[in-house]
Amino acid sequence: MSNFYQKSNLKELVLLFLTFFGCGCLLYYVTLHAEFNFDDNLYIVGNRDIKTISNFQYFWDNKTRLIGFYSFALNYYFSAFDPFVYRLTNLFIHALSALFCFLFTLRLLQTPLISGTIASQSAKYLSLFVAVLFFVHPIQSEVVAYITQRFEAIAGLFYFMTIYFYLTARQGTKLLFIPAIAAMIACMFSKEISYTLIPMLLLVEVTYFDFNSEKKTIYLSLLAVGLGIVGALLYMFYGGKIISAGLGSVLRLETNVSRLDYFLTQLYVLFYYLRLLIIPFGLNIDHDIMLRTSFADPVVLLSLILHLTIIFFVLVNYHKRRLPCFCVIWYYLTLSVTSSFIPIKDLAFEHRLYLSSYALYLLLAYLIFSGTRQPKLRGTLCAIIILILAGFTVQRANAWRSEINLWSDAYSKSPQKPRTSFNLGMAYRRAGNELEASKYILKAADLQIQRGNYDYHSLIIFSDAASVYINQGDLTKGLDLIKRISLLPFTNIDTYHNIGTIFYKLGDYKKAQGYFEDTIKANPCHAEALNNLGVIAAKDNAYDQALSYLSRAIACKPDYANARFNLAMISLSTNNIIAGQEQLRAIKYLNRPDLEEALSAKIAHRQK
């Protein structure tokens, strides 16, 4: 084997990384300048806490995603809200992950119990093929194009780094245990999949090293130390919450689905994921997965039988076919956090396969290199597979060109899912097409009522749909949805505000005021609610209170032109022309000619 692959020549590695990055720019070119999508609006665009890189309290409060959130803050520091920079950062991390995927696989194939096999003899080419598959497979498009899923890419990078440095240290360079531990800790501050790292290292140890080795105890002791570090970090992350709310509150995320029903559903989802990896048709930002609730369900029963068969195969063949069995366990272990007994609000998401998919790439490469002895035939087969996957990736990237394009694609594949219809409607609303927006938002509410199983997201759907009905003059349907909201065991700040806005439009200012007050109790800096409370106070001639609310709204959101306009109009009503002129200058700066014209006329009238 060449010195480069044994000593990891830096120049060659840099060239490989740049090749990945350059090819990625071509594959995802159409997405680089695309707008923010889905949760990007929540975690990035609407997140004022990332607007300063010194907001350490916020980053620490979100410690299980600390590195990801801090990377968003750095992006904002250098480029504000330019999605090009954010996506280029995602692509950079993905290329770096592919590089360490290559290094990890190469090191894996040099371990004692694999060395000498066909896979080991072609280690450098096999490892490169695995890394390229990891990089170009269309399933990874959600992590690259969906900026918020940078969390997954960062965790994947540190996951590969941890095992690579561990294996390198294990096979000679002992000092590399230090970066292995550092990478493991960084992974813990990236995403919850890191909790599987110690079991994965134990799996690597048992699979690829002689269990009777004299030094085995030393390395197992080192893993025990790693387990202690993980345990300490887990206690730091969740100890307080477990003490105050119980363990069950930690082992659940924004859903009331029972643990058994979630597990039964995941028995099917695990095979659904495999289908997406093997035949990448129907990729979707919002898969519509049916909740399974019984062992008697034929889909559940068949899935269970297949899983037991696979587990039996692994147990029987583990010592004979170590690498294929390792791939199977890798797949199950890396999905154990999201596909077991810990209910999560979304039953399936493609980005969860970012690390898990490695199992399929390694298994495919192993089968090709073991079953094909002719180098030209093997190379041709690998090239064809890569080109086909790259073509699918370019096609999938087109779905991310715009928010409307993305959700139209999702709606064509999940037409009966309420959230898909709602998000398409909201995409049209942000694009200024209220007619199309109303159609899909109302359909989302109808689908949610038909489906039942109300969740946290139902609040948002019903409140926005109620607002649409009120605007259309259908008070009966609007108020019916408000009643449904009041019966749900969930709360949401924006829902309070939306309902308040509905009652304001209906002229019921007292009820509207109550909802706006609930909004600012939950979020004292909700500028829109503060503005609306100021307007209501002015209607009651409580001008001092109105000015106080509006001043707070402007302090929270200095570029809020409507609040400045309302503050100016109330100031003029109390003959404070100077305050009105001050707000007029601010409104001119904010480039709102409509408000500027109306306010200028009011000031001119007062000065007569």
Side-chain angles (χ1 to χ4, degrees):
M1 195 177 294
S2 70
N3 288 334
F4 154 50
Y5 290 102
Q6 290 180 345
K7 298 181 180 179
S8 299
N9 182 278
L10 183 59
K11 184 185 294 185
E12 297 285 353
L13 291 177
V14 170
L15 180 61
L16 181 58
F17 167 76
L18 291 176
T19 302
F20 280 134
F21 187 72
C23 291
C25 289
L26 294 175
L27 290 172
Y28 292 99
Y29 177 78
V30 296
T31 73
L32 293 179
H33 290 282
E35 59 212 9
F36 292 100
N37 277 308
F38 204 10
D39 283 346
D40 295 344
N41 295 302
L42 173 64
Y43 291 114
I44 301 172
V45 179
N47 187 357
R48 59 195 178 95
D49 290 307
I50 67 166
K51 293 183 179 181
T52 172
I53 56 176
S54 60
N55 190 1
F56 299 118
Q57 186 59 52
Y58 171 76
F59 301 126
W60 187 250
D61 289 342
N62 293 276
K63 56 182 74 72
T64 58
R65 300 284 199 283
L66 187 150
I67 295 177
F69 277 118
Y70 196 75
S71 73
F72 293 150
L74 288 173
N75 281 153
Y76 181 84
Y77 180 80
F78 288 107
S79 66
F81 289 128
D82 182 356
F84 173 78
V85 175
Y86 288 79
R87 284 204 174 83
L88 209 61
T89 303
N90 277 31
L91 192 55
F92 179 91
I93 295 168
H94 183 48
L96 203 55
S97 294
L99 178 65
F100 274 94
C101 173
F102 163 74
L103 290 171
F104 156 57
T105 307
L106 184 62
R107 186 60 69 184
L108 200 68
L109 297 177
Q110 294 172 342
T111 51
L113 296 183
I114 296 295
S115 181
T117 64
I118 295 174
S120 178
Q121 293 165 7
S122 305
K124 66 177 182 179
Y125 300 112
L126 190 153
S127 301
L128 185 61
F129 181 52
V130 170
V132 173
L133 289 177
F134 175 82
F135 188 76
V136 305
H137 198 290
I139 203 75
Q140 312 291 38
S141 60
E142 190 166 291
V143 172
V144 178
Y146 183 7
I147 297 170
T148 298
Q149 290 314 322
R150 182 182 301 174
F151 300 126
E152 200 80 46
I154 292 173
L157 170 61
F158 287 124
Y159 205 99
F160 282 134
M161 288 177 69
T162 300
I163 306 177
Y164 165 70
F165 285 125
Y166 175 83
L167 285 172
T168 306
R170 181 72 170 79
Q171 292 172 275
T173 313
K174 306 307 180 191
L175 281 176
L176 288 180
F177 278 125
I178 296 173
I181 293 172
M184 180 187 71
I185 293 173
C187 194
M188 293 285 292
F189 284 95
S190 302
K191 203 167 185 185
E192 290 83 353
I193 195 172
S194 60
Y195 307 156
T196 65
L197 252 175
I198 294 298
M200 185 62 73
L201 290 173
L202 286 170
L203 175 66
V204 168
E205 191 69 35
V206 171
T207 305
Y208 296 105
F209 294 94
D210 184 3
F211 195 75
N212 295 318
S213 170
E214 294 179 0
K215 296 182 179 180
K216 196 75 176 180
T217 304
I218 299 174
Y219 297 116
L220 290 178
S221 299
L222 185 64
L223 288 176
V225 172
L227 186 61
I229 294 173
V230 171
L233 288 172
L234 285 174
Y235 181 78
M236 181 175 65
F237 293 163
Y238 303 112
K241 189 173 182 180
I242 292 173
I243 292 171
S244 62
L247 182 62
S249 63
V250 173
L251 302 178
R252 177 179 297 278
L253 182 62
E254 295 181 16
T255 181
N256 285 329
V257 172
S258 74
R259 298 188 190 282
L260 179 59
D261 290 350
Y262 187 83
F263 173 73
L264 295 178
T265 305
Q266 292 306 309
L267 290 175
Y268 161 74
V269 168
L270 287 168
F271 287 115
Y272 182 74
Y273 283 155
L274 281 176
R275 201 279 296 165
L276 292 176
L277 287 169
I278 297 169
I279 309 174
F281 290 112
L283 298 183
N284 185 358
I285 184 66
D286 205 16
H287 292 275
D288 193 4
I289 304 294
M290 180 188 298
L291 184 68
R292 306 289 173 172
T293 59
S294 172
F295 279 105
D297 185 324
V299 172
V300 173
L301 190 59
L302 178 60
S303 299
L304 180 60
I305 292 171
L306 288 174
H307 285 302
L308 292 175
T309 302
I310 292 171
I311 292 170
F312 178 76
F313 169 84
V314 170
L315 292 174
V316 171
N317 293 278
Y318 194 79
H319 293 290
K320 299 176 183 177
R321 298 179 174 86
R322 289 176 180 271
L323 197 145
C325 291
F326 171 79
C327 292
V328 173
I329 300 175
W330 174 288
Y331 181 75
Y332 281 117
L333 184 56
T334 51
L335 281 171
S336 61
V337 175
T338 58
S339 293
S340 57
F341 290 98
I342 304 174
I344 303 175
K345 63 178 178 178
D346 294 297
L347 297 174
F349 246 131
E350 290 167 16
H351 65 257
R352 295 173 186 169
L353 289 169
Y354 188 71
L355 261 179
S356 306
S357 60
Y358 172 79
L360 185 71
Y361 311 143
L362 180 58
L363 181 60
L364 176 62
Y366 171 78
L367 293 175
I368 290 174
F369 279 74
S370 299
T372 310
R373 301 300 178 91
Q374 299 178 19
K376 288 185 178 180
L377 178 60
R378 180 194 300 162
T380 301
L381 184 58
C382 290
I384 291 173
I385 293 172
I386 290 169
L387 288 174
I388 290 173
L389 290 176
F392 279 123
T393 298
V394 171
Q395 182 185 40
R396 181 59 189 158
N398 280 320
W400 293 86
R401 286 178 302 168
S402 71
E403 192 176 19
I404 291 177
N405 209 49
L406 177 66
W407 288 105
S408 294
D409 173 80
Y411 182 78
S412 69
K413 296 166 182 173
S414 304
Q416 298 303 310
K417 189 169 185 177
R419 184 174 67 183
T420 306
S421 182
F422 177 78
N423 285 343
L424 178 56
M426 295 303 292
Y428 276 115
R429 174 171 287 175
R430 282 187 280 271
N433 189 340
E434 190 60 35
L435 184 63
E436 285 296 298
S438 298
K439 180 175 76 174
Y440 288 106
I441 289 171
L442 295 182
K443 180 169 184 182
D446 289 340
L447 289 171
Q448 188 65 74
I449 292 171
Q450 293 171 19
R451 180 169 291 200
N453 297 323
Y454 299 149
D455 58 13
Y456 180 79
H457 200 260
S458 306
L459 279 172
I460 303 170
I461 293 175
F462 287 156
S463 64
D464 278 83
S467 182
V468 171
Y469 278 128
I470 298 300
N471 289 335
Q472 292 179 349
D474 194 335
L475 303 184
T476 301
K477 289 185 177 179
L479 292 173
D480 176 67
L481 288 178
I482 291 175
K483 290 178 181 177
R484 289 180 184 274
I485 292 171
S486 66
L487 298 175
L488 295 178
F490 307 100
T491 57
N492 177 273
I493 297 173
D494 290 326
T495 300
Y496 288 146
H497 181 257
N498 287 346
I499 296 175
T501 303
I502 290 169
F503 280 116
Y504 181 87
K505 291 176 180 178
L506 293 174
D508 193 335
Y509 301 125
K510 188 173 182 180
K511 282 188 178 179
Q513 181 179 349
Y515 280 104
F516 293 141
E517 287 174 347
D518 286 341
T519 303
I520 62 171
K521 283 178 185 176
N523 179 9
C525 215
H526 196 293
E528 289 77 11
L530 289 166
N531 174 69
N532 293 335
L533 284 170
V535 173
I536 291 173
K539 288 181 180 294
D540 291 335
N541 297 321
Y543 294 123
D544 289 342
Q545 188 179 27
L547 292 171
S548 175
Y549 279 129
L550 292 166
S551 296
R552 286 170 59 189
I554 293 168
C556 292
K557 191 176 180 181
D559 61 349
Y560 192 7
N562 286 337
R564 291 187 176 277
F565 177 81
N566 290 330
L567 179 63
M569 296 297 283
I570 295 172
S571 297
L572 293 174
S573 298
T574 59
N575 294 317
N576 189 345
I577 296 176
I578 294 176
Q581 291 173 331
E582 180 184 340
Q583 296 306 322
L584 176 61
R585 287 191 291 271
I587 289 171
K588 285 181 179 179
Y589 178 78
L590 293 172
N591 194 25
R592 285 294 302 272
D594 54 333
L595 300 180
E596 180 185 341
E597 182 180 352
L599 184 54
S600 297
K602 186 71 173 178
I603 291 174
H605 177 73
R606 281 288 179 180
Q607 289 176 329
K608 288 182 180 179

